[in-house]
Amino acid sequence: SILAGVAIVAGGIESYSTAIKYDRLEQFRIRTMPAMRYLRGLQTPAEMSGGRYPTVLSTSIMVADYLPTVTTFRPMWTPHTNSTGGVDYHENRRLLYLYLYFGGYGEEQLRKALDEQVFEFRAALFGGGRALSELVGDAQPITADEVEREVRLYGEFLKTADRETVTQPELSYLVIPLEAEPDYTRLDKWYVRSDDQIVGDFRVARLTLRP
């Protein structure tokens, strides 16, 4: 029938678009593997003892999300940090602030990301149900006033950021895609980068807290 034909065509289109989307993700994961293997080789014997899990900064959300599946390292923040247990809303927001801070975000950049519906940031600040209202039928829309409040709070964080604020947790390594390197000014203020290497499509370095 006509309806059956339409359903088959629609299903085929949806399947194809989904396959294309996840193929890109898989290709990205494959590209990260050399950097991940290199990163594992940098871990010192002291870090490998006593159940320590060095913290890695990556301003790529996908790299940060993928990191724990390949290494024993801890990403500083990922969109799933609040799902791992032991991290409440306020701590998750603080870690997001650190992610934004080291990624070179200012207030305007955060406002732009929230206005452009960047799900990961909106979910961390307002909850997944409100960030994607399709998930919750009666979710309250995120208002412009709420966005401005979050931008203002992040601005206050930038003004008061100090050594104690930005070194909890203390970072040990850096993994950044070369195609999206941040401004390193803030990172270099607090950390020394060493063993800086280009591995495939990524920059990998050890981070040591400045005295």
Side-chain angles (χ1 to χ4, degrees):
S1 68
I2 294 177
L3 288 178
V6 170
I8 291 172
V9 171
I13 293 173
E14 183 174 350
S15 297
Y16 177 77
S17 61
T18 300
I20 292 296
K21 173 185 175 181
Y22 286 104
D23 180 66
R24 290 173 181 166
L25 293 176
E26 183 58 28
Q27 290 302 315
F28 183 84
R29 290 191 185 98
I30 291 171
R31 286 168 53 203
T32 68
M33 285 305 299
M36 296 295 181
R37 294 192 186 100
Y38 179 78
L39 180 64
R40 283 189 306 195
L42 290 179
Q43 190 172 19
T44 65
E47 290 172 329
M48 296 172 68
S49 64
R52 294 185 61 192
Y53 301 97
T55 301
V56 178
L57 169 67
S58 182
T59 52
S60 164
I61 288 175
M62 292 177 64
V63 171
D65 246 352
Y66 189 40
L67 185 74
T69 68
V70 182
T71 75
T72 58
F73 302 141
R74 165 193 172 183
M76 187 187 70
W77 178 82
T78 81
H80 299 103
T81 295
N82 64 340
S83 303
T84 58
V87 177
D88 61 17
Y89 165 79
H90 296 288
E91 176 64 4
N92 188 51
R93 182 170 67 176
R94 186 186 74 82
L95 293 173
L96 169 63
Y97 282 178
L98 288 178
Y99 175 92
L100 297 171
Y101 175 84
F102 287 120
Y105 279 73
E107 293 174 73
E108 286 303 317
Q109 287 87 352
L110 176 57
R111 179 183 290 109
K112 184 173 185 290
L114 294 175
D115 287 343
E116 292 181 351
Q117 312 287 318
V118 175
F119 173 78
E120 291 81 4
F121 296 169
R122 288 168 71 93
L125 296 174
F126 304 108
R130 297 189 68 199
L132 189 61
S133 58
E134 291 85 350
L135 296 176
V136 181
D138 59 351
Q140 294 294 316
I142 297 169
T143 66
D145 286 344
E146 288 178 305
V147 168
E148 287 305 312
R149 176 179 178 275
E150 293 299 335
V151 170
R152 175 176 56 79
L153 289 173
Y154 176 60
E156 292 173 1
F157 171 85
L158 292 178
K159 293 174 184 175
T160 59
D162 57 17
R163 182 183 176 91
E164 182 178 0
T165 303
V166 304
T167 58
Q168 298 296 325
E170 183 177 333
L171 303 175
S172 298
Y173 299 99
L174 169 79
V175 182
I176 301 290
L178 294 175
E179 62 187 12
E181 288 196 85
D183 181 342
Y184 290 107
T185 302
R186 291 172 181 165
L187 181 66
D188 290 343
K189 178 180 179 180
W190 305 107
Y191 290 92
V192 175
R193 285 183 280 155
S194 60
D195 298 327
D196 194 314
Q197 296 290 328
I198 305 300
V199 185
D201 298 328
F202 296 84
R203 181 181 302 281
V204 183
R206 188 186 299 277
L207 299 176
T208 305
L209 194 60
R210 292 185 182 275

